[in-house]
């Protein structure tokens, strides 16, 4: 199987306006930078983006927000982006804020064929509005449904021609679950190797979930908060 | 009266050997700097690391290694990385012994509001709702009053809730308080702070025992 595509343009063929997308990353860590930049070039609009955060004003998903390409965000925390907050408070941008653990599990469920599940997170808050409640072990839980996407765009450290992926450190975060839940999953990697080079024991995401893989041209890997201590 | 460091230092006194602990952003992250002598705890960060270490030495920052507050960190020996579904399985599955987080408001029934001020600040809840819904042992670290001098310990929260009936203990710049039976119970005073000052700053129901010791450091 050869899932390799030669360019980010080839990777995103078929990605159209008004689609629902999943984008991996936590803050700016583990985001598919090259694909996001290409989506700006493609000028696709009306997108529904499922991603834990919204980037910062001039990097990550913030670039798509600047270009007014996103119609709706489904995220858990959007605090780092002033343009985001402005568009949200003015009503230009629809936002669904959902608990981070529920977001992760909803993506996993979407890829795993579990249409819905019960979780205690959000019971008693506005997150529970309109949702079925059931008690387990004497404690109320709310019913959350699976999330899927037309395209899931993930970033990995290493990948092979079969689409098997290995992630690095905390750049892993949402990428594995989103890879499972996309109808078409695109993986951008730092290192692309032939099948057989990655140890099967060490692969984090099996290639069965990945349809297209490409080596990113460059990764800025911006740091949001550079915190250090004295030697 | 304590400052943020003092609040963190007092909370750290409650750490027990062998615990797994999740620290929220803000004052809670400072708890990691005051682990008592002779005990070992492991810090879990919701974005996918167990065994979170201190900030790196300048020059050693790794963009792929951050905490829940998006700050660069290091990994201790024996650390492990995992994805977000696994992370919240640890949290929701009650494998973490202590959760410390900040708040805007806490009620005398243990409700907590820490994610939204309608029309003004809507940053999102992040992992807070999962943490408070699942943890057995939740300590809130916060100032006793807000910037306008109003009490943050209320009889009921006015801001959108993060969780209900979940907070067991609050440590502020003025006091340590337990929450049970619909009231804040005053357990300790901060150094130099009187019971009267604490009463004046607490809007919710407050139970004060005959003798309230001062925190010791």
């Amino acid at each position: 199987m050869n899932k390799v595509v030669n360019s980010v343009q080839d990777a995103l063929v078929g990605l159209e306006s008004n689609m629902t997308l999943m984008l991996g990353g936590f803050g700016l860590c583990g985001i598919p930078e090259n694909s996001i930049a290409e989506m700006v070039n493609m000028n696709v609009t009306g997108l529904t983006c499922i991603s834990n955060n919204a980037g910062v004003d001039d990097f990550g998903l913030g670039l798509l927000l600047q270009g007014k390409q996103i119609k709706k965000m489904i995220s858990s925390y959007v605090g780092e982006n002033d343009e985001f907050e402005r568009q949200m408070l003015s009503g230009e941008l629809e936002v669904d804020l959902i608990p981070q653990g529920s977001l992760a599990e909803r993506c996993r469920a979407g890829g795993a064929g579990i249409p819905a599940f019960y979780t205690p997170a959000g019971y008693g808050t506005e997150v529970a509005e309109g949702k079925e409640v059931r008690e387990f072990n004497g404690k109320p839980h709310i019913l959350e449904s699976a999330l899927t996407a037309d395209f899931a765009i993930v970033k990995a450290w290493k990948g092979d021609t079969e689409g098997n992926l290995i992630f690095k450190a905390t750049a892993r975060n949402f990428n594995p679950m989103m890879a499972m839940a996309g109808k078409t999953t695109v993986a951008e990697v730092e290192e692309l190797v032939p099948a057989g080079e990655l140890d099967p024991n060490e692969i984090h995401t099996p290639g069965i979930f990945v349809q297209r893989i490409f080596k990113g041209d460059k990764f800025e890997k911006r740091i949001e908060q550079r915190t250090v201590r004295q030697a | 009266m304590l400052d943020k460091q003092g609040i963190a230092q007092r909370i750290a006194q409650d750490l027990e050997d062998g615990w797994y602990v999740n620290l929220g952003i803000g004052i809670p992250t400072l708890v990691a700097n005051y682990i008592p002598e002779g005990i070992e705890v492991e810090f879990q960060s919701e974005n996918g690391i167990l065994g979170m270490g201190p900030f790196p030495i300048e020059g050693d920052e790794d963009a792929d290694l951050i905490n829940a507050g998006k700050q660069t960190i290091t990994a201790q020996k024996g650390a492990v990385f995992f994805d977000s579904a696994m992370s919240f399985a640890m949290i929701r599955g009650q494998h973490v012994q202590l959760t410390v987080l900040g708040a805007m408001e806490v009620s005398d029934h243990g409700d907590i509001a820490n994610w939204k001020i309608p029309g003004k600040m809507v940053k999102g809840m992040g992992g807070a709702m999962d943490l408070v819904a699942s943890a057995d042992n939740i300590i809130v670290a916060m100032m006793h009053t807000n910037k306008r001098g109003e009490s943050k310990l209320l009889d009921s929260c006015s801001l959108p809730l993060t969780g209900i009936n979940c907070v067991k203990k609050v440590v502020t710049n003025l006091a340590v308080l337990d929450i049970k039976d619909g009231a804040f119970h005053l357990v300790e005073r901060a150094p130099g702070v009187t019971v009267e000052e604490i009463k004046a700053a607490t809007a919710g129901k407050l139970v004060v025992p005959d003798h309230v010791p001062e925190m010791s450091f």
Side-chain angles (χ1 to χ4, degrees):
Chain A
M1 305 239 192
N2 192 339
K3 310 212 180 149
V4 177
V5 292
N6 293 317
S7 66
V8 62
Q9 287 78 22
D10 288 344
L12 301 183
V13 163
L15 198 164
E16 289 164 3
S17 292
N18 306 313
M19 276 190 166
T20 294
L21 312 178
M22 280 179 182
L23 296 115
F26 181 93
L28 300 179
C29 186
I31 60 169
E33 303 180 24
N34 294 278
S35 301
I36 292 171
E38 181 57 19
M39 284 167 60
V40 174
N41 293 337
M42 290 164 76
N43 204 19
V44 282
T45 55
L47 302 169
T48 294
C49 290
I50 302 170
S51 192
N52 190 53
N53 314 100
V56 296
D57 285 308
D58 63 342
F59 198 61
L61 289 182
L63 295 171
L64 295 173
L65 282 168
Q66 263 180 18
K68 308 258 170 50
Q69 296 173 259
I70 303 181
K71 181 182 82 167
K72 177 170 175 173
M73 283 291 304
I74 299 175
S75 306
S76 84
Y77 189 83
V78 295
E80 287 96 14
N81 191 320
D82 290 336
E83 173 62 8
F84 182 107
E85 218 172 335
R86 194 201 62 74
Q87 283 188 24
M88 174 172 61
L89 290 172
S90 78
E92 286 163 64
L93 177 65
E94 241 184 280
V95 182
D96 255 358
L97 287 167
I98 69 185
Q100 197 183 149
S102 300
L103 177 60
E105 192 65 17
R106 291 175 73 183
C107 293
R108 199 205 80 89
I114 306 262
F117 57 89
Y118 285 94
T119 171
Y123 175 74
T125 76
E126 50 188 72
V127 159
E129 270 159 40
K131 295 180 183 159
E132 284 174 58
V133 174
R134 192 162 143 178
E135 221 177 75
F136 295 91
N137 305 316
K139 194 172 147 181
H141 293 68
I142 60 177
L143 186 64
E144 292 279 17
S145 57
L147 288 170
T148 56
D150 297 305
F151 269 76
I153 306 174
V154 303
K155 152 78 197 299
W157 179 28
K158 301 185 195 185
D160 68 17
T161 51
E162 307 251 346
N164 295 310
L165 304 175
I166 295 182
F167 304 93
K168 183 150 167 275
T170 57
R172 194 186 312 197
N173 59 71
F174 284 82
N175 290 297
M177 296 83 65
M178 290 183 169
M180 293 163 72
K183 183 146 178 261
T184 300
T185 292
V186 170
E188 60 176 76
V189 298
E190 295 178 48
E191 290 173 40
L192 183 53
V193 299
E197 257 189 53
L198 299 181
D199 179 341
N201 288 310
E202 313 222 324
I203 290 166
H204 299 145
T205 291
I208 195 169
F209 296 115
V210 178
Q211 281 67 50
R212 305 173 190 174
I213 184 167
F214 72 100
K215 183 171 149 149
D217 263 349
K218 88 179 183 79
F219 290 95
E220 185 185 326
K221 289 209 199 176
R222 196 181 287 198
I223 290 178
E224 249 181 278
Q225 307 232 19
R226 190 177 299 272
T227 43
V228 295
R229 73 179 197 278
Q230 298 314 310
Chain B
M1 178 116 83
L2 298 176
D3 61 6
K4 294 180 180 183
Q5 300 291 342
I7 295 172
Q9 194 175 353
R10 174 57 190 83
I11 292 174
Q13 288 176 2
D14 281 13
L15 296 174
E16 287 182 30
D17 192 42
W19 271 10
Y20 292 97
V21 180
N22 182 292
L23 301 176
I25 61 181
I27 298 176
T29 48
L30 303 174
V31 172
N33 300 327
Y34 298 103
I35 305 172
E37 278 294 313
I39 71 160
E40 246 184 77
V41 296
E42 249 189 85
F43 293 108
Q44 195 259 13
S45 189
E46 68 192 16
N47 58 309
I49 172 175
L50 192 55
M52 180 170 76
F55 296 152
I57 300 206
E58 182 145 15
D60 288 348
E61 306 94 315
D62 180 351
D64 289 330
L65 185 47
I66 61 170
N67 66 13
K70 326 285 188 322
Q71 301 169 311
T72 46
I73 53 166
T74 55
Q76 305 280 49
K77 246 189 258 218
V80 56
F81 300 116
F82 38 85
D83 66 44
S84 303
M86 175 66 84
S87 177
F88 283 89
M90 291 176 195
I91 289 168
R92 213 189 296 104
Q94 305 193 307
H95 303 279
V96 174
Q97 279 73 42
L98 173 64
T99 288
V100 186
L101 29 70
M104 293 165 206
E105 296 177 344
V106 176
S107 84
D108 53 29
H109 283 72
D111 297 346
I112 175 175
N114 73 355
W115 71 281
K116 180 175 175 181
I117 303 177
K120 258 190 71 186
M121 184 222 77
V122 191
K123 300 211 180 279
M125 70 291 279
M129 287 190 180
D130 298 273
L131 284 156
V132 304
S134 319
D136 248 349
N137 195 0
I138 297 172
I139 299 182
V140 166
M142 66 178 187
M143 292 303 179
H144 211 100
T145 53
N146 64 23
K147 293 189 173 115
R148 290 180 302 282
E150 299 156 343
S151 179
K152 294 168 71 174
L153 285 77
L154 309 173
D155 59 18
S156 91
C157 295
S158 65
L159 295 173
L161 295 176
T162 306
I164 56 174
N165 300 134
C166 50
V167 182
K168 302 281 179 354
K169 189 165 185 165
V170 183
V171 178
T172 73
N173 51 324
L174 303 182
V176 176
L177 309 103
D178 284 342
I179 297 179
K180 54 182 196 255
D181 305 324
F184 295 106
H185 293 250
L186 184 52
V187 175
E188 287 169 34
R189 296 169 293 115
V193 174
T194 64
V195 168
E196 290 315 309
E197 283 173 84
I198 295 165
K199 279 183 179 170
T202 305
K205 183 165 171 207
L206 179 63
V207 170
V208 182
D210 293 329
H211 170 63
V212 183
E214 207 178 74
M215 294 178 202
S216 63
F217 289 97

